[in-house]
Amino acid sequence: MNQVLVTGLGFATSIGTRYDEVLESLRGLSNGFARKQLGEDAVAGTAGVELVCGDVKGFDLSSCDFRDWRIPDSHRFNTSLLRCLPPHGPYAVTALEQAIDMAEIDRTDLGDGHCGLFCASPGSPAMTRHYLNRMAASGWRRGPPMGIVSSVAGTLNFNLATHYGITGASCGFVSACASSSHAIGYAFDEIALGRQDLMLIVAAEDSSAESLLPFLGMNALTLNPDTHSASRPFDRQRDGFVGTGGAAALILESAASAQRRGRTPIAELLGWGQASDGYNVAAPHPQGKGIRRAMEICLQSSGVNARQVDWINAHATSTPAGDRAEATALTDLGFADDDNNTSISSTKGLTGHGLSYAGALEAAICVLAIKEGLIPGNAGLKQIDPCCAGLNLPVETRAQPLNYVLNNSCGFGGANVCHLFAAIT
Amino acid sequence: MATAMQAATGPLGNQSAEEIEYQLRGFPDSAISSALELRSTFSTKALEDCLHGILRFYLPEGDQNFECNFECNDTGKIRIKEDLGLDSLSIAESMFKIEELFNIPIEYGEIAEVETIADASRLLTTKMTTPESVAG
């Protein structure tokens, strides 16, 4: 098996659209939230609803017409690309361009067949609605030809594989909030098995009413109007998640390729695991059966035991059931034992829940934490839920060299994924 | 909607200048200025210039040959596929934009017969002068 390294990261998130901004937020525990009115444009005649949401600063992608979009670094975009993208496309390109720059990859090499692209995107329900409205206005005779490729779930891989001239593997992953963690896992396999030298991974989500408000119907979103306590994973008072759009990107590379290019890796991806709950279409297994098994497989395949793990970036989204299930799984695996020093936090207290791009964002934060030697605190955590008894949940961010870091993700249908990142030795 | 102050004799006379500018935001200035001219009067040159500007928006970027064809040839004689490099989806998208702007339905079979900008101009001119062609 080839060694799999991380050589690039990119962010277009509520806590920063550059590496140094994300680092500053993690150090200072400054969240990326704002109160927003959602739904007023989506349903005529309604005032919408005000919710605390992630705010990706500098972008305005609220329109479904790309000509209205405001994008920092707009020089990276041309009309041919923009007119085929969903509203989360500019987030994705921004993050991926950063990651490619950080890895110092010559863009002319991306199409040599040794580089693949895996994406995660749920598509854009707002864009689908927009195109249907335009078709209706033409008497259903005609619709915008790029309506499909800019709105369905594969939109990122369609567009970006074309834009970057990818001739290696390209694929999109859809497993709800585990989507981008699956993308990273299978990208690991592509390199470990020698099929590709380089893998680009990018995941993104719209910030629209159509993407976020349906979660209200599941009682999964918090209605807490206070931006400082709305997202509080593992807290006794938590009552739902804060949704956010945005994007994150990672570059995975074989050790041989990084060495050939003279690149110093940021961290190593040692292994990954996945397992399903087999329990409920939306609710997690009460004992976190699937995420526990995913962590076990990940640790076993990586040759690392639970006591060696310095930090776990938990999936915990700030919902009562989800956090409890994960805390139970962590306890069952020994992370609450007296002789276990693993710190556990959920960076969703700062970022909000990025849904299908959450796994990639949190993987990128794991790699950043290893590089910078810090454990992010649990933002918003005031009263630890009794279900977390014995777990080490730091409230403040602290400096600490990290050797092994786990990243958990859980999605609808009981899909669970775990990655293990390691410092370069 | 047109107002009493607006000259309504041109093919785009039923739209205000603001409506046209909004519809064509992001398009080349030449598309907007010629569309505004088409509010008050019809001329083949203004129509060809407007189509030229709209098609330019869909031009594959970064290809100097196609850019050159846009600048070098007699507008009417420019071949949309061969000279501009527009693929079939880009042509369909540009025609959809033209349909929306002029409020004139264009059938797929009619698009297939359009080779040059002059062909597109003639097709539109014919439809403008045939009342039943105008979409309700």
Side-chain angles (χ1 to χ4, degrees):
Chain A
M1 296 263 283
N2 290 324
Q3 191 182 10
V4 181
L5 306 174
V6 184
T7 53
L9 304 174
F11 302 91
T13 78
S14 64
I15 60 167
T17 54
R18 293 199 315 265
Y19 180 98
D20 56 335
E21 291 175 353
V22 173
L23 174 59
E24 188 180 331
S25 166
L26 293 169
R27 280 187 173 141
L29 289 183
S30 51
N31 69 51
F33 303 144
R35 281 195 287 272
K36 290 186 179 178
Q37 197 75 16
L38 288 179
E40 55 192 341
D41 298 329
V43 183
T46 75
V49 57
E50 187 181 81
L51 287 175
V52 172
C53 300
D55 181 29
V56 187
K57 291 168 190 66
F59 289 82
D60 183 354
L61 306 171
S62 53
S63 169
C64 284
D65 189 322
F66 72 90
R67 294 174 296 161
D68 302 324
W69 292 346
R70 188 176 78 240
I71 308 168
D73 291 338
S74 56
H75 64 277
R76 294 184 188 269
F77 296 82
N78 59 41
T79 303
S80 305
L81 173 62
L82 283 170
R83 69 189 173 92
C84 301
L85 288 178
H88 58 274
Y91 294 143
V93 174
T94 299
L96 187 52
E97 284 282 301
Q98 283 174 31
I100 292 170
D101 285 347
M102 188 174 185
E104 295 184 25
I105 299 168
D106 183 338
R107 283 166 176 73
T108 59
D109 292 339
L110 295 176
D112 69 1
H114 299 291
C115 174
L117 168 78
F118 283 173
C119 300
S121 156
S124 176
M127 209 65 157
T128 300
R129 171 201 289 271
H130 171 70
Y131 287 130
L132 285 177
N133 285 337
R134 287 186 70 188
M135 287 185 79
S138 76
W140 301 103
R141 295 175 43 259
R142 179 171 299 168
M146 298 308 177
I148 288 289
V149 296
S150 61
S151 64
V152 298
T155 179
L156 286 186
N157 37 297
F158 308 155
N159 274 288
L160 300 184
T162 307
H163 179 65
Y164 290 104
I166 301 293
T167 58
S170 71
C171 189
F173 291 81
V174 179
S175 52
C177 304
S179 301
S180 53
S181 283
H182 271 121
I184 292 168
Y186 284 106
F188 171 93
D189 290 354
E190 286 294 303
I191 294 174
L193 297 173
R195 293 170 175 161
Q196 304 278 203
D197 292 336
L198 266 169
M199 287 299 299
L200 317 181
I201 299 112
V202 63
E205 279 274 353
D206 283 1
S207 301
S208 67
E210 288 86 343
S211 294
L212 296 179
L213 290 187
F215 288 96
L216 269 179
M218 308 184 96
N219 203 25
L221 292 179
T222 179
L223 297 173
N224 180 350
D226 176 19
T227 55
H228 295 290
S229 62
S231 183
R232 43 185 160 179
F234 299 125
D235 190 278
R236 178 182 275 182
Q237 301 295 320
R238 69 187 184 280
D239 61 358
F241 72 79
V242 169
T244 185
L250 296 95
I251 309 292
L252 299 185
E253 185 165 5
S254 70
S257 173
Q259 187 174 21
R260 190 166 57 246
R261 296 194 311 113
R263 295 298 307 144
T264 304
I266 313 166
E268 179 175 359
L269 178 53
L270 273 185
W272 72 294
Q274 64 166 324
S276 305
D277 287 347
Y279 172 72
N280 187 279
V281 68
H285 186 277
Q287 277 77 49
K289 180 179 153 190
I291 188 61
R292 172 184 168 156
R293 183 73 185 130
M295 285 190 279
E296 285 175 335
I297 293 169
C298 179
L299 289 167
Q300 284 166 8
S301 70
S302 306
V304 172
N305 67 57
R307 286 187 183 79
Q308 291 175 280
V309 177
D310 297 299
W311 176 50
I312 299 172
N313 196 351
H315 178 72
T317 63
S318 190
T319 61
D323 294 14
R324 189 184 311 116
E326 189 175 8
T328 304
L330 290 165
T331 301
D332 289 348
L333 274 182
F335 289 107
D337 293 354
D338 290 342
D339 60 348
N340 186 295
N341 295 315
T342 305
S343 295
I344 298 160
S345 48
S346 168
T347 49
K348 290 187 180 77
L350 294 172
T351 62
H353 186 8
L355 306 171
S356 66
Y357 97 93
L361 170 57
E362 286 146 28
I365 289 174
C366 289
V367 174
L368 180 153
I370 289 171
K371 177 174 164 55
E372 302 296 335
L374 63 85
I375 293 181
N378 280 285
L381 179 59
K382 297 281 189 259
Q383 291 178 284
I384 295 175
D385 189 308
C387 72
C388 304
L391 296 176
N392 178 11
L393 301 170
V395 175
E396 299 298 329
T397 296
R398 68 169 187 271
Q400 179 179 320
L402 303 175
N403 290 315
Y404 299 109
V405 172
L406 279 182
N407 180 41
N408 282 348
S409 296
C410 310
F412 282 149
N416 302 278
V417 179
C418 181
H419 310 126
L420 181 63
F421 292 97
I424 301 296
T425 53
Chain B
M1 297 300 292
T3 69
M5 294 296 291
Q6 294 164 349
T9 54
L12 293 178
N14 63 339
Q15 298 183 50
S16 70
E18 290 75 18
E19 285 171 332
I20 289 172
E21 286 168 353
Y22 181 76
Q23 279 215 55
L24 292 177
R25 67 196 189 283
F27 282 72
D29 289 345
S30 61
I32 298 171
S33 60
S34 51
L36 291 174
E37 191 180 330
L38 289 169
R39 284 185 66 235
S40 54
T41 184
F42 172 80
S43 80
T44 300
K45 182 176 186 316
L47 183 56
E48 287 186 355
D49 286 348
C50 185
L51 296 174
H52 181 264
I54 288 172
L55 290 169
R56 176 156 212 152
F57 185 76
Y58 298 98
L59 192 68
E61 282 165 79
D63 192 315
Q64 296 302 315
N65 291 328
F66 295 137
E67 284 281 344
C68 183
N69 287 338
F70 241 113
E71 302 299 338
C72 300
N73 291 340
D74 177 330
T75 301
K77 291 181 181 171
I78 294 173
R79 296 172 301 171
I80 295 170
K81 280 185 188 168
E82 293 84 351
D83 294 337
L84 303 184
L86 264 66
D87 60 26
S88 59
L89 287 176
S90 296
I91 292 171
E93 195 168 5
S94 60
M95 289 299 158
F96 187 48
K97 186 69 206 174
I98 290 164
E99 271 193 333
E100 285 185 325
L101 178 66
F102 289 92
N103 196 26
I104 288 175
I106 305 170
E107 302 305 324
Y108 285 104
E110 293 170 328
I111 296 173
E113 291 175 10
V114 169
E115 186 181 355
T116 64
I117 288 180
D119 291 341
S121 174
R122 273 191 292 275
L123 174 65
L124 279 177
T125 305
T126 303
K127 285 178 167 285
M128 284 171 197
T129 53
T130 310
E132 58 269 26
S133 295
V134 178

